């Protein structure tokens, strides 16, 4: 009888223990998914859309559902501005281009995001998204400026990798003089954003300082860049059609075999080796860009990021998503699925080391040189400043202004904006 | 009687609500914005400033530059558009077996959305690889690509021609309808009096077309003031060759200055209204006289 009672008691205890453990597990699971049932919207251009499988994984992991709105990059800024004018959030999580950070920060449209020091150190381009110590967005797709040269043309011309911009000028002239290419150097010169960034990074790579501490243009350095560009145009080393060609088409002159050297987007590491896009597969070498007196010691990133909107009603869930989307694991997956170049140095290194990313040349080395050319962060008047810069450079390229006049035109506007 | 009025009001009500919501409210709201310092990137500085935005717009060299550009485009569109519309109408008026087909073909540019129109012309004038350059190259007329859009006046001329091309079909149809309403007896009488075709056109057709001229001028003028997509597709938001609407868009949306942009919108709206008023007035008098 006692034996039977003991057995019954043991079974009862086991049952109680099992039920308690199950309940405890359930509670722990609930605690692990505090945002279960939350729903957020994510506005992103086509190239940043995660696959449904990834989104399902995120939902299973966090209990948060994500509704993706695919919007053209050009339209996103307008949508954000119009929604913000009505104090509404166009989406909980939005695309934030590096060039929008200043104005979005000034308008107060983005919520600060907290990151660990390890994450901060792993993403060098985060500096473009940091204003007054606050992280307003996390870059998810990398695009920093890197040098490229055509090894075949260089060999034919008897040249070696350029170290300085003076080397580039001399080499381009040599290639043209030997009739190897009509316009061996390529650079955007159209009246568009690509020309402004080219102007900024060219000065940055060459002489370091583009803007003075009061955000006005550094005359000495910017003038050197303008004179360099003007000289390249006048010698016919740059194709004159660049004054009206889209910047991506300008860069394609390298992969079409029409140009021998350029500093351009990192996406051309992949494009140069893609037979569908390149006529010079295996002949393009990515290098650390040239500098003023030696190789550049800094480069500029033009990265895409995502951030949480101020008017979002699900800020917590939105932040969880932003961190997940820019995590190491996701960056590796996004490279596999969308060829998005990781912004995390560790992921980039892993892709190169494992051979997933091929013919990368000095890509990893250059990625470690990323810094922001803006001493006080991207200014809130970036769009107005950019318009003044690209219009002045475009007019100079068309022969309507001298480098000095182009500088005066852009400087008058930039100085007036900086003083406002 | 009262029931009829109520019925009429009932029918009018939906349209009145739509007009209030989608026309009058935005007009009033834009006017209020135009009286404010309202830059989205400076939310702390929003406030009433009276007509300061208007004064700033009217003083702005960029605005003057955009006005000159718009007037140049308008000049090209009016000259080319008016002349070509009448010619196209005369061609379509000549009754042939192909008249129906020709009319349908002539209407195509009008049916194209402006942005598609812009993209089509962009392919034609694209530097280096554009259709026109390739054509001239294949015909051995050029050795190197012509950079069509590299000068201010070159750009404005091309834009003017494109806008005219898009607007001509509508104007031609208006002229055609007008021509078809002229009684045949008038032409028969002129023929009996020995009038040749030039005199018939000058003294019979043209006076009868005067009401349509006013409609065509209004349409051509509005199209040239409102040119946007074609320029955006051809040269983006380049200052050189920038007309009023691109200037307006840049200030409002690119620079997020809604107050200043709203003032530009109002000035453009008033200018369009003035043009429209004079055309309609001339239509009234012209119509009366004819």
């Amino acid at each position: 009888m006692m034996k039977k009672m003991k057995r019954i008691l043991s079974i009862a205890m086991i049952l109680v223990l099992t039920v308690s453990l199950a309940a405890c597990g359930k509670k722990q699971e609930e605690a692990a998914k505090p945002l279960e049932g939350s729903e957020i919207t994510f506005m992103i251009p086509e190239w940043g859309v995660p696959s449904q499988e990834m989104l399902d994984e995120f939902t299973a992991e966090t209990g948060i559902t994500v509704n993706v709105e695919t919007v053209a990059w050009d339209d996103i800024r307008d949508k954000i501005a119009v929604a913000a004018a009505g104090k509404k959030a166009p989406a909980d999580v939005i695309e934030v281009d590096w060039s929008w950070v200043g104005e979005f920060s000034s308008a107060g449209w983005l919520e600060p995001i907290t990151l660990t020091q390890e994450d901060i150190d792993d993403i060098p381009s985060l500096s473009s998204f940091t204003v007054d110590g606050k992280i307003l967005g996390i870059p998810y797709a990398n695009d920093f400026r890197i040098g490229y040269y055509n090894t075949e043309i260089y060999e034919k011309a008897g040249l070696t990798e350029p170290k300085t911009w003076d080397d580039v000028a001399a080499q381009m002239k040599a290639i043209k003089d030997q009739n190897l290419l009509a316009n061996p150097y390529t650079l955007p010169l159209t009246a568009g954003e690509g020309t402004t960034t080219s102007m900024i990074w060219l000065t940055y790579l060459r002489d370091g300082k583009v803007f003075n501490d009061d955000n006005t243009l550094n005359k000495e350095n910017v003038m050197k860049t303008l004179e360099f560009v003007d000289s390249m145009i006048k010698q016919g080393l740059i194709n004159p059609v660049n004054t009206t060609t889209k910047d991506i088409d300008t860069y394609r002159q390298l992969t079409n075999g029409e140009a021998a050297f350029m500093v351009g987007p990192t996406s051309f590491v992949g494009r140069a080796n893609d037979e569908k896009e390149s006529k010079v597969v295996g002949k393009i070498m990515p290098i650390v860009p040239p500098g003023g007196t030696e190789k550049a010691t800094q480069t500029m990133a033009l990265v895409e990021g995502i951030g949480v909107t101020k008017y979002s009603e699900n800020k917590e869930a939105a932040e969880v998503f932003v961190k997940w989307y820019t995590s190491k694991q996701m960056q590796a997956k996004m490279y596999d699925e969308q060829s998005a170049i990781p912004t995390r140095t560790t992921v980039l290194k892993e892709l190169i080391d494992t051979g997933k990313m091929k013919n990368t040349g000095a890509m990893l080395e250059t990625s470690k040189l990323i810094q922001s050319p803006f001493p006080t962060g991207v200014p809130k008047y970036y769009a107005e400043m950019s318009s003044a810069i690209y219009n002045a450079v475009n007019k100079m390229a068309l022969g309507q202004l001298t480098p000095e006049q182009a500088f005066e035109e852009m400087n008058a506007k930039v100085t007036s904006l900086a003083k406002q | 009687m009262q029931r009829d009025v109520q019925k009429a009001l009932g029918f009018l009500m939906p349209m009145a609500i739509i007009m209030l919501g989608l026309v009058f409210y935005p007009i009033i709201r834009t006017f209020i914005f135009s009286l404010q310092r309202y830059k989205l990137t400076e939310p702390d500085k929003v406030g009433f400033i009276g007509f300061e935005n208007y004064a700033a717009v009217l003083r702005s060299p960029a605005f003057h530059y955009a006005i000159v550009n718009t007037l140049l485009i308008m000049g090209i569109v009016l000259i080319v558009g008016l002349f070509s519309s009448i010619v196209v109408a005369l061609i379509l008026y000549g009754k042939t077996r192909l008249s129906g087909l020709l009319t349908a073909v002539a209407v195509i540019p009008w049916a194209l959305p402006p942005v598609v129109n812009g993209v089509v012309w962009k392919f034609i004038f694209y530097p280096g690889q554009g259709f026109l350059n390739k054509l001239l190259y294949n015909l051995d007329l050029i050795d190197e690509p012509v950079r069509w859009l590299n000068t201010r006046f070159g750009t404005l001329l091309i834009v003017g021609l494109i806008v005219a091309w898009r607007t001509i079909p509508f104007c031609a149809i208006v002229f055609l309808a007008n021509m078809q309403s002229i009684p045949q007896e008038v032409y028969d009488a002129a023929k009996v009096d020995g009038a040749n075709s030039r005199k018939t056109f000058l003294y019979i057709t043209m006076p009868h077309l005067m009401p349509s001229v006013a409609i065509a001028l209004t349409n051509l003028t509005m199209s040239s003031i409102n040119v946007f997509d074609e320029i955006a597709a051809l040269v983006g938001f380049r200052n050189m060759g920038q007309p009023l609407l691109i200037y307006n868009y840049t200030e409002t949306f690119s620079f997020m200055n809604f107050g200043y942009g709203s003032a530009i919108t109002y000035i453009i709206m008033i200018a369009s209204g003035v043009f429209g008023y004079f055309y309609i007035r001339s239509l009234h008098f012209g119509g009366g006289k004819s």
Side-chain angles (χ1 to χ4, degrees):
Chain A
M1 185 67 187
M2 266 305 264
K3 224 176 178 181
K4 207 176 179 184
M5 273 297 282
K6 267 186 184 172
R7 191 177 285 171
I8 292 168
L9 270 170
S10 304
I11 292 169
M13 277 184 77
I14 288 166
L15 272 171
V16 169
L17 209 66
T18 312
V19 170
S20 321
L21 279 173
C24 195
K26 201 177 175 189
K27 269 185 188 168
Q28 268 183 351
E29 204 178 291
E30 273 172 11
K33 290 184 185 178
L35 298 165
E36 176 90 55
S38 305
E39 207 169 312
I40 57 166
T41 47
F42 177 37
M43 188 186 279
I44 191 83
E46 195 184 340
W47 60 73
V49 176
S51 67
Q52 192 53 49
E53 194 188 330
M54 291 179 194
L55 292 173
D56 291 344
E57 260 178 49
F58 175 70
T59 307
E61 204 178 292
T62 62
I64 302 165
T65 309
V66 184
N67 299 313
V68 179
E69 288 175 34
T70 312
V71 178
W73 185 86
D74 291 351
D75 297 336
I76 290 180
R77 189 170 163 273
D78 288 352
K79 280 183 186 287
I80 295 167
V82 172
K87 301 205 183 305
K88 291 265 188 289
D92 299 295
V93 179
I94 53 167
E95 159 89 6
V96 185
D97 185 74
W98 73 273
S99 64
W100 303 342
V101 173
E103 56 200 24
F104 283 18
S105 153
S106 170
W109 293 341
L110 295 168
E111 281 293 311
I113 299 166
T114 47
L115 277 185
T116 63
Q117 192 56 45
E118 191 193 343
D119 284 329
I120 294 170
D121 294 341
D122 200 22
I123 312 173
S125 52
L126 204 59
S127 57
S128 297
F129 293 80
T130 309
V131 180
D132 297 333
K134 289 178 186 162
I135 297 166
L136 298 176
I138 306 182
Y140 68 89
N142 218 342
D143 178 13
F144 52 87
R145 287 305 176 257
I146 186 168
Y148 299 89
Y149 74 92
N150 184 315
T151 50
E152 190 180 48
I153 302 279
Y154 264 61
E155 253 172 51
K156 277 185 191 167
L159 303 169
T160 53
E161 180 182 328
K163 283 195 172 64
T164 67
W165 285 96
D166 288 344
D167 290 348
V168 173
Q171 291 178 346
M172 296 303 107
K173 192 170 180 316
I175 291 170
K176 189 174 174 75
D177 289 347
Q178 291 177 51
N179 286 324
L180 291 168
L181 285 175
N183 314 109
Y185 177 56
T186 186
L187 181 83
L189 295 170
T190 187
E193 173 64 17
T195 298
T196 299
T197 50
S198 300
M199 207 56 218
I200 294 174
W201 61 248
L202 192 44
T203 310
Y204 194 48
L205 295 175
R206 188 185 175 106
D207 299 299
K209 200 168 191 175
V210 189
F211 299 95
N212 300 315
D213 293 341
D214 60 356
N215 279 342
T216 54
L217 291 169
N218 184 291
K219 184 170 183 179
E220 191 188 344
N221 292 347
V222 173
M223 271 306 297
K224 271 193 214 166
T225 302
L226 289 169
E227 278 162 2
F228 168 79
V229 173
D230 189 55
S231 154
M232 298 294 263
I233 296 164
K234 285 190 175 142
Q235 291 179 74
L237 301 174
I238 302 178
N239 194 330
V241 300
N242 288 14
T243 50
T244 33
T245 313
K246 282 200 293 186
D247 35 325
I248 188 72
D249 292 335
T250 304
Y251 293 128
R252 280 193 181 122
Q253 286 166 12
L254 183 87
T255 44
N256 286 340
E258 295 161 5
F261 177 84
M262 74 168 188
V263 168
T266 35
S267 62
F268 276 79
V269 170
R271 287 173 198 262
N273 293 301
D274 181 347
E275 283 181 0
K276 285 179 206 154
E277 290 211 40
S278 174
K279 292 178 184 166
V280 284
V281 173
K283 294 173 191 168
I284 299 298
M285 176 61 73
I287 57 166
V288 173
T293 51
E294 54 188 34
K295 282 278 189 183
T297 52
Q298 63 279 315
T299 191
M300 183 184 171
L302 291 89
V303 278
E304 311 279 341
I306 54 170
V308 178
T309 50
K310 180 188 172 184
Y311 299 111
S312 162
E313 287 172 7
N314 302 291
K315 286 177 194 165
E316 216 180 325
E319 186 168 336
V320 170
F321 175 75
V322 169
K323 285 179 181 171
W324 171 83
Y325 184 81
T326 53
S327 64
K328 288 181 186 177
Q329 176 202 357
M330 272 299 292
Q331 291 218 332
K333 278 192 184 174
M334 286 297 279
Y335 176 73
D336 285 341
E337 298 208 357
Q338 304 271 35
S339 303
I341 294 172
T343 52
R344 286 176 179 272
T345 311
T346 49
V347 182
L348 189 63
K349 187 173 182 311
E350 196 182 306
L351 291 174
I352 295 171
D353 289 349
T354 54
K356 279 191 173 176
M357 212 182 255
K358 292 185 176 67
N359 303 317
T360 50
M363 192 176 181
L364 186 64
E365 196 184 341
T366 311
S367 78
K368 292 173 187 164
L369 304 178
I370 295 172
Q371 288 176 55
S372 171
F374 301 96
T376 54
V378 181
K380 65 181 178 187
Y381 49 78
Y382 180 83
E384 279 179 270
M385 180 178 82
S386 172
S387 170
I389 294 176
Y390 65 63
N391 274 299
V393 176
N394 181 249
K395 283 185 204 165
M396 182 189 81
L398 292 170
Q400 294 168 2
L401 297 178
T402 62
E404 185 76 36
Q405 288 167 331
F407 178 79
E408 289 309 327
E409 190 175 302
M410 66 171 84
N411 189 45
K413 185 70 183 175
V414 175
T415 304
S416 114
L417 288 166
K419 283 182 181 166
Q420 270 173 23
Chain B
M1 182 66 184
Q2 195 161 353
R3 224 175 141 187
D4 284 349
V5 171
Q6 278 175 351
K7 207 173 168 183
L9 282 174
F11 281 124
L12 281 174
M13 201 51 80
M15 183 48 72
I17 291 168
I18 291 169
M19 290 285 283
L20 272 174
L22 298 179
V23 179
F24 296 114
Y25 175 72
I27 287 176
I28 293 163
R29 186 80 185 168
T30 306
F31 183 64
I32 294 167
F33 280 155
S34 75
L35 302 177
Q36 290 177 322
R37 181 190 294 111
Y38 186 34
K39 201 166 183 179
L40 288 180
T41 51
E42 293 172 352
D44 303 336
K45 292 182 184 169
V46 174
F48 180 78
I49 52 166
F51 287 92
E52 268 183 39
N53 280 327
Y54 289 90
V57 172
L58 294 171
R59 277 198 306 263
S60 160
F63 178 67
H64 302 156
Y65 190 82
I67 287 182
V68 174
N69 284 348
T70 304
L71 289 174
L72 287 168
I73 293 173
M74 197 189 290
I76 296 160
V77 173
L78 289 179
I79 294 166
V80 177
L82 198 63
F83 177 77
S84 306
S85 305
I86 294 172
V87 171
V88 171
L90 284 170
I91 293 169
L92 295 175
Y93 185 62
K95 291 180 184 70
T96 65
R97 277 185 195 172
L98 290 173
S99 289
L101 180 71
L102 285 176
T103 311
V105 170
V107 168
I108 289 173
W110 181 34
L112 277 179
V115 69
V116 177
N117 196 16
V119 172
V120 169
W121 286 96
K122 185 184 176 176
F123 282 123
I124 295 172
F125 289 106
Y126 200 76
Q129 303 297 322
F131 171 77
L132 194 55
N133 271 339
K134 282 206 163 178
L135 183 73
L136 294 175
Y137 188 76
N138 289 338
L139 292 171
D140 272 339
L141 292 171
I142 54 170
D143 293 328
E144 58 178 60
V146 180
R147 297 188 290 280
W148 303 100
L149 303 161
N150 270 8
T151 62
R152 180 188 183 190
F153 295 105
T155 306
L156 296 176
L157 177 68
I158 288 167
V159 170
L161 293 175
I162 294 171
V163 175
W165 180 79
R166 170 162 61 82
T167 325
I168 285 167
F170 171 79
C171 300
I173 297 292
V174 171
F175 283 126
L176 179 65
N178 201 160
M179 280 175 195
Q180 285 169 340
S181 71
I182 303 170
Q184 188 56 40
E185 295 78 22
V186 183
Y187 287 110
D188 293 341
K191 206 172 182 181
V192 170
D193 290 344
N196 58 20
S197 53
R198 190 179 65 85
K199 282 188 174 174
T200 307
F201 177 74
L202 281 177
Y203 297 111
I204 296 175
T205 309
M206 267 320 282
H208 278 88
L209 288 183
M210 287 320 283
S212 303
V213 168
I215 293 169
L217 283 176
T218 309
N219 199 262
L220 292 164
T221 305
M222 295 307 156
S223 298
S224 38
I225 292 177
N226 294 325
V227 58
F228 183 92
D229 303 78
E230 286 87 351
I231 295 246
L234 279 173
V235 290
F237 299 104
R238 186 171 78 178
N239 280 355
M240 195 173 67
Q242 182 180 68
L244 282 170
L245 239 57
I246 295 278
Y247 173 65
N248 191 3
Y249 177 86
T250 309
E251 292 289 336
T252 313
F253 292 102
S254 298
F255 303 161
M256 298 194 187
N257 199 346
F258 277 38
Y260 188 82
S262 299
I264 303 170
T265 306
Y266 251 79
I267 292 170
I268 296 173
M269 203 171 79
I270 291 165
S272 303
V274 169
F275 275 114
Y277 169 76
F278 283 111
Y279 287 143
I280 300 299
R281 214 174 138 211
S282 70
L283 169 73
H284 176 73
F285 290 124
K289 277 176 190 170
S290 72

